[in-house]
């Protein structure tokens, strides 16, 4: 096997595009989530955090729920050849298990792991290589939030004779629904399947459910991972305090999200590319948010985009769900 890996880099992740997004994050005091996965150091920290806290790794029932969804998806896709597109693939462990499930059913598989991070697509590719031929794996670095021509780009990666399954695991929570859902729906072609997971608020009382999961985010590994962004800019731990809170979706969707803000307790100044950013005492910068859904809310939000949930798998804890979807008109 060649020691050279070919990785496609979309213009949305060109150095200039990334620079502009970075400056915008500092100007608006709202950090684009992609900057938490940027460097090899952050990727390593996130992978460690995922390994320690992600229910898909730590909760047997959650892993079984994903496995059931993989078997369900493989059952429904009636094709001898499937191209799996992993959007925001991260380390690609879930995609690798899904590829294995498809292959065990005798399906010929191809894979496009896609993420903003070069390190992540390479890790995801590596995870898939026990199942697929390297020639059938096409890593793509791309920003889903800004790559307007993504439908055409993905079409180039995919042989029209192959069925297409798009995965979007653990991604919905970190995007404003009004931004990401139309994009996701716009990627789907009539015969494509979409398999995605969402973090849920457990129990009947939505607001209480979101409050209940708050401690899941407030731990040393998550703090360490999120603070890397600021520390790498020269901000010091003692310049402020990182606080987690629950807030309503400012866009008025009725959803709630866990958010993390760094509140400055002493003035700090950061300089990037000749632009200076002054943080005053009492000012805060938002580092992160994670929306919590319910199965009903997921169905309603997707329905507004013409996407129908065909089947869903919910963990016993009611904290995570996997949804198999298709464009409504395709049935
Ligand atoms: C929460 S992780 C989910 C990873 C994986 N799908 C899983 O379930 O384990 C989020 C992933 O999305 C990627 N990401 C963040 N912002 C993105 C964007 N705008 N476009 C594409 N990928 C993005 C990150 O690099 C990271 O790998």
């Amino acid at each position: 096997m060649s020691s050279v890996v070919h990785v496609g880099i979309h213009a949305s992740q060109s150095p200039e595009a990334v620079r502009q997004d970075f400056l915008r994050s500092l100007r608006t005091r709202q950090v684009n989530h992609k900057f938490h996965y940027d460097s090899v150091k952050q990727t390593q920290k996130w992978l460690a955090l995922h390994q320690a806290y992600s229910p898909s790794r730590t909760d047997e029932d959650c892993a079984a729920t994903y496995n059931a969804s993989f078997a369900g998806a493989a059952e429904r896709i009636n094709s001898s050849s499937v191209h799996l597109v992993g959007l925001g693939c991260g380390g690609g462990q879930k995609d690798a298990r899904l590829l294995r499930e498809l292959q065990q059913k005798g399906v010929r598989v191809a894979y496009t792991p896609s993420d903003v991070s070069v390190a992540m697509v390479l890790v995801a590719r590596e995870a898939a290589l026990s199942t697929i031929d390297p020639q059938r794996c096409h890593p793509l670095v791309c920003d889903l939030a800004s790559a307007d021509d993504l439908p055409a780009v993905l079409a180039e990666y995919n042989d029209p004779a192959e069925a297409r399954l798009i995965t979007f695991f653990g991604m919905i929570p970190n995007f404003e629904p009004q931004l990401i859902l139309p994009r996701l729906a716009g990627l789907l072609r009539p015969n494509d399947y979409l398999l995605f997971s969402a973090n849920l608020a457990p129990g009947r009382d939505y607001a209480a459910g979101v409050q209940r999961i708050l401690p899941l985010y407030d731990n040393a590994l998550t703090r360490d991972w999120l603070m890397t962004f600021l520390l790498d800019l020269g901000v010091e731990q003692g310049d402020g305090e990182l606080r987690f809170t629950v807030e309503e979706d400012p866009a008025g969707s009725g959803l709630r999200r866990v958010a993390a803000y760094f509140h400055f307790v002493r003035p700090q100044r950061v300089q990037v590319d000749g632009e200076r950013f002054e943080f005053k005492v009492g000012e805060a910068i938002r580092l992160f948010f994670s929306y919590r859904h319910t199965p009903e809310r997921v169905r309603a939000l997707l329905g507004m985009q013409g996407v129908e949930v065909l089947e869903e798998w919910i963990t016993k804890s009611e904290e995570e769900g996997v949804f198999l979807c298709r464009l409504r008109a395709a049935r």
Side-chain angles (χ1 to χ4, degrees):
M1 188 166 49
S2 166
S3 53
V4 174
V5 180
H6 294 273
V7 177
I9 313 270
H10 186 269
S12 56
Q13 278 299 95
S14 69
E16 180 52 21
V18 172
R19 194 178 76 89
Q20 289 301 339
D21 290 339
F22 195 85
L23 293 173
R24 194 172 310 117
S25 288
L26 291 173
R27 282 182 203 132
T28 60
R29 283 21 181 184
Q30 297 179 352
V31 177
N32 184 327
H33 283 195
K34 72 179 182 179
F35 293 116
H36 293 305
Y37 304 89
D38 221 18
S39 63
V40 172
K41 181 169 62 179
Q42 288 169 307
T43 299
Q44 297 304 336
K45 283 182 190 281
W46 183 79
L47 290 172
L49 159 70
H50 193 244
Q51 177 88 32
Y53 288 104
S54 169
S56 69
R57 297 293 198 88
T58 58
D59 170 7
E60 260 180 41
D61 173 63
C62 185
T65 303
Y66 272 95
N67 287 342
S69 78
F70 299 157
E75 193 65 42
R76 268 196 197 246
I77 303 172
N78 190 17
S79 173
S80 57
S81 190
V82 173
H83 194 118
L84 182 75
V85 179
L87 297 180
C89 60
Q93 296 89 0
K94 296 181 189 113
D95 287 348
R97 275 155 54 200
L98 177 51
L99 284 167
R100 225 169 293 133
E101 178 76 34
L102 288 162
Q103 202 193 42
Q104 279 163 5
K105 285 205 145 18
V107 175
R108 186 164 187 263
V109 286
Y111 182 38
T112 299
S114 178
D115 202 284
V116 277
S117 152
V118 175
M120 291 288 193
V121 297
L122 292 177
V123 174
R125 173 185 177 273
E126 208 54 51
L129 285 190
S130 60
T131 307
I132 64 164
D133 179 346
Q135 305 297 324
R136 294 181 60 75
C137 185
H138 315 283
L140 172 66
V141 171
C142 174
D143 184 335
L144 294 172
S146 56
D148 292 330
D149 60 348
L150 194 54
V153 170
L154 288 180
E156 282 171 29
Y157 278 70
N158 164 223
D159 175 343
E162 296 166 328
R164 200 166 67 170
L165 171 59
I166 296 179
T167 60
F168 200 58
F169 295 131
M171 294 292 286
I172 291 265
N174 300 147
F175 288 96
E176 319 274 0
Q178 69 278 11
L179 174 108
I180 203 62
L181 294 179
R183 284 186 170 267
L184 202 50
L187 282 178
L188 289 178
R189 302 176 307 191
N191 292 318
D192 287 350
Y193 285 92
L194 165 69
L195 188 65
F196 80 92
S197 59
N199 295 345
L200 305 176
R204 282 172 175 265
D205 181 339
Y206 175 60
V210 182
Q211 208 62 43
R212 204 164 104 197
I213 52 76
L214 183 58
L216 285 181
Y217 295 84
D218 196 351
N219 54 64
L221 285 177
T222 305
R223 286 173 168 272
D224 182 40
W225 170 58
L226 291 176
M227 281 302 293
T228 307
F229 174 86
L230 289 178
L231 298 181
D232 283 354
L233 280 170
V235 174
E236 293 172 20
Q237 294 278 7
D239 289 340
E241 194 193 335
L242 181 59
R243 288 189 223 141
F244 291 80
T245 182
V246 172
E247 61 187 25
E248 287 200 10
D249 180 4
S253 67
L255 288 173
R256 286 172 182 248
R257 62 190 192 185
V258 172
Y261 292 86
F262 186 78
H263 297 261
F264 285 86
V265 295
R266 56 184 187 217
Q268 179 57 284
R269 178 184 295 167
V270 162
Q271 182 140 345
V272 179
D273 276 358
E275 190 167 336
R276 196 185 272 185
F277 300 90
E278 308 266 359
F279 294 98
K280 300 194 181 71
V281 173
E283 226 190 305
I285 180 166
R286 190 185 70 209
L287 293 180
F288 174 81
F289 61 76
S290 180
Y291 283 91
R292 285 276 160 166
H293 294 79
T294 61
E296 301 71 37
R297 283 165 201 265
V298 164
R299 276 183 245 121
L301 284 168
L302 286 170
M304 287 193 272
Q305 304 299 328
V307 177
E308 182 180 22
V309 175
L310 302 174
E311 215 169 328
E312 61 192 44
W313 297 265
I314 310 296
T315 58
K316 288 190 189 123
S317 68
E318 298 181 0
E319 288 180 9
E320 195 146 339
V322 190
F323 301 82
L324 180 66
C325 313
R326 232 178 167 184
L327 280 183
R328 196 182 292 126
R331 282 184 104 193

